[in-house]
Amino acid sequence: MGPGDLSEALCGLQLPFDPRVICGMESLDDAGVYRLRDDLALIQTIDYFTPIVDDPYAFGQIAVANALSDVYTMAGRPLTALNIVCFPLKLLDISYLREILKGGLDKMAEAEVILLGGHTVEDAELKYGLAVTGIVHPDQLLMNSGARAGDKLILTKPLGTGIINTAHKAAMASDKAVRIVTESMSSLNRKASEIMCRYTAHACTDITGFGFIGHAANLARNSKVGFIIHAEQIPLFPEVTDYAKMGLCPGGLFRNKEFYSGILRFEKHIDTTIVDIFFDPQTSGGLLIALPEKQAEPLLDHLHREGIPDAALIGEIVEEHPGIIQIV
Ligand code: CO
Ligand code: CO
């Protein structure tokens, strides 16, 4: 579904109110957060989707890395998970599902997350993912609303998973591009989150289905600030620009563009192909972190040293034009 569909569906419905809810349905945050005690809050999130790679083991890994990410964005620690499986028994052999679950379990083991159970239904189309439960100290919780004017913005993974996967489906993508993107989608945002927690970040989100612009726009809007993004500093996967120029773009890119282009400003010299890539829906994308200027370079160096080489300083936050993303 597109970015506007859920708010349209919820329109006019009475949502429950409880003072223990820190992030609920109406917030644009990555996960729900519920205060258990003054020093402990519960984080809950769910994510599942259809295969985006051919290899079932890799798909299981990616689905889990993607589902856990929303806990990492909020500076939380995922503890337990439930599998969600929709499986076409008449079309696929059960060994295919075993490979998916194995990939998922291995990724959960890496994340030190315990699988407690799950639910499986027969469905025409295969889908896999997780419902995740995590914890965070309410004082450490990072939300979408905390970014401040003067902050710098850091992005931890390159953009272009949707475009490369579309090129791959059309048998146009190189093996190298597919391998790099699969590795990136399978890698947890755990380390980036743990390193971020050693600094005083103001806000964080992850880049997923609404694309870089969509998630940046939510952050800017909730924090009531404007973003200035330096186009040439945004990390991109190799060959993504070539495929985008060939029109190998997923439908979600155009839906995101239609929904979010009103909050975007860019100068004439900016290549429109690059702007399109900023709308590309990402699977298991990186963290977008807002933090004080003084800490930006130290955090960036730290991420690079700890094996997150693509992390980049991509822009800054201003008081002017709240909610607007300006690309320079
Ligand atoms: Co998210
Ligand atoms: Co999510």
Side-chain angles (χ1 to χ4, degrees), residues 276-292:
D276 280 349
I277 296 169
F278 296 170
F279 286 109
D280 183 39
Q282 303 298 285
T283 300
S284 192
L287 301 183
L288 176 63
I289 304 166
L291 85 169

Side-chain angles (χ1 to χ4, degrees), residues 29-31 47 69-70 73 205-208 215:
D29 277 293
D30 290 283
D47 234 312
S69 178
D70 281 331
T73 66
T205 191
D206 57 349
I207 310 302
T208 53
H215 293 280

Side-chain angles (χ1 to χ4, degrees), residues 95-149:
S95 63
Y96 193 86
L97 178 57
R98 189 178 306 121
E99 279 301 299
I100 293 174
L101 298 178
K102 187 171 184 290
L105 273 171
D106 285 353
K107 192 49 71 177
M108 282 183 253
E110 182 191 330
E112 296 173 275
V113 166
I114 303 295
L115 184 70
L116 292 181
H119 188 68
T120 307
V121 291
E122 195 179 344
D123 194 354
E125 201 176 19
L126 172 64
K127 299 172 198 87
Y128 173 62
L130 294 181
V132 183
T133 300
I135 50 167
V136 67
H137 190 299
D139 297 346
Q140 248 106 62
L141 175 68
L142 282 182
M143 293 193 286
N144 255 337
S145 50
R148 300 177 203 171

Side-chain angles (χ1 to χ4, degrees), residues 166 242-250 254:
T166 303
D242 305 334
Y243 303 141
K245 283 203 159 80
M246 292 159 75
L248 296 163
C249 297
F254 300 102

Side-chain angles (χ1 to χ4, degrees), residues 37-318:
R37 300 189 311 240
D38 284 347
D39 64 345
L40 187 68
L42 194 68
I43 305 180
Q44 290 188 296
T45 176
I46 177 167
D47 234 312
Y48 64 106
F49 45 69
T50 55
I52 32 134
V53 289
D54 308 325
D55 174 24
Y57 181 83
F59 172 54
Q61 294 218 306
I62 292 166
V64 168
N66 182 72
L68 297 178
S69 178
D70 281 331
V71 178
Y72 295 130
T73 66
M74 304 193 91
R77 183 157 70 93
L79 294 180
T80 61
L82 302 171
N83 274 339
I84 298 146
V85 180
C86 305
F87 194 74
L89 263 179
K90 293 177 190 80
L91 292 177
L92 288 172
D93 191 82
I94 205 76
S95 63
Y96 193 86
L97 178 57
R98 189 178 306 121
E99 279 301 299
I100 293 174
L101 298 178
K102 187 171 184 290
L105 273 171
D106 285 353
K107 192 49 71 177
M108 282 183 253
E110 182 191 330
E112 296 173 275
V113 166
I114 303 295
L115 184 70
L116 292 181
H119 188 68
T120 307
V121 291
E122 195 179 344
D123 194 354
E125 201 176 19
L126 172 64
K127 299 172 198 87
Y128 173 62
L130 294 181
V132 183
T133 300
I135 50 167
V136 67
H137 190 299
D139 297 346
Q140 248 106 62
L141 175 68
L142 282 182
M143 293 193 286
N144 255 337
S145 50
R148 300 177 203 171
D151 282 356
K152 293 283 182 188
L153 288 164
I154 286 175
L155 179 65
T156 65
K157 285 186 186 180
L159 300 181
T161 73
I163 290 166
I164 303 239
N165 290 330
T166 303
H168 182 48
K169 274 185 204 139
M172 302 289 275
S174 74
D175 291 346
K176 182 184 157 219
V178 173
R179 181 175 45 77
I180 291 173
V181 164
T182 304
E183 265 174 34
S184 174
M185 291 188 296
S186 317
S187 69
L188 294 170
N189 281 328
R190 177 186 185 177
K191 196 183 271 177
S193 171
E194 286 173 354
I195 295 170
M196 169 182 78
C197 289
R198 301 211 220 152
Y199 296 78
T200 51
H202 288 150
C204 180
T205 191
D206 57 349
I207 310 302
T208 53
F210 303 155
F212 172 74
I213 299 293
H215 293 280
N218 285 349
L219 224 173
R221 197 177 91 180
N222 262 14
S223 300
K224 301 181 180 71
V225 290
F227 282 11
I228 293 176
I229 301 297
H230 300 269
E232 76 290 349
Q233 286 170 20
I234 297 244
L236 302 177
F237 286 113
E239 297 161 36
V240 69
T241 317
D242 305 334
Y243 303 141
K245 283 203 159 80
M246 292 159 75
L248 296 163
C249 297
L253 185 153
F254 300 102
R255 284 194 294 276
N256 288 340
K257 191 173 173 178
E258 199 185 313
F259 191 80
Y260 288 109
S261 53
I263 57 90
L264 190 68
R265 285 185 200 156
F266 59 95
E267 288 156 20
K268 281 198 193 80
H269 70 272
I270 309 279
D271 184 348
T272 51
T273 306
I274 298 292
V275 177
D276 280 349
I277 296 169
F278 296 170
F279 286 109
D280 183 39
Q282 303 298 285
T283 300
S284 192
L287 301 183
L288 176 63
I289 304 166
L291 85 169
E293 179 171 12
K294 273 204 184 88
Q295 297 187 25
E297 285 292 344
L299 172 60
L300 195 64
D301 287 344
H302 203 154
L303 291 166
H304 291 165
R305 272 201 316 275
E306 296 280 338
I308 305 171
D310 294 311
L313 218 164
I314 56 149
E316 56 265 348
I317 298 183
V318 293

